[in-house]
Amino acid sequence: MTIDYITLSKTIAALAEGETDAVALMATVACEVHHADDRFDWTGFYRVVAPELLKIGPYQGGHGCLVIPFTRGVCGAAARNGKVQLIPDVDAFPGHIACASSTRSELVLPVWNGAGNLLGVFDIDSDQPNAFTQEDADQMAKILAATFKDAA
């Protein structure tokens, strides 16, 4: 299944129109993205709740880690350095946290609001190795930027 990013973007924009609450936006994005592609095994957010600390936010899929420091794992790396993490093989990522043993590859994007504040990270896990492309990363980054620009 290939994602129709144009339709996904329009759907999320319509659902999120006028909303500024970050958690409400995260719940909507997690749901829509999770159901957009069979590659996505776990789809959700980790929110910045304290300096250098992420806590689980809205998600779809099995359980996730509840707390992730910026110093640990793929999500921590995205939060720490503010860069997209496109990981074809999680077992090859130093310090990977196995929140779910089924995860084989991962795409994690930092989530910023329009004021430049880091709200958290958007984490997509797959039970397939090498499941994500640069196109996935680029399109998801555009959707996140548009959705969270006015988030508080």
Side-chain angles (χ1 to χ4, degrees), residues 17-82:
E17 186 176 356
E19 184 57 66
T20 59
D21 181 80
V23 174
L25 293 168
M26 288 175 183
T28 301
V29 170
C31 180
E32 290 301 314
V33 171
H34 186 74
H35 295 288
D37 195 306
D38 293 338
R39 295 175 295 165
F40 303 165
D41 193 49
W42 192 95
T43 311
F45 289 85
Y46 284 94
R47 300 168 295 115
V48 175
V49 296
E52 308 285 310
L53 189 67
L54 299 167
K55 280 199 178 178
I56 198 164
Y59 68 92
Q60 300 273 313
H63 68 85
C65 294
L66 298 183
V67 178
I68 299 177
F70 280 26
T71 56
R72 304 237 4 250
V74 180
C75 290
R80 185 174 62 251
N81 67 27

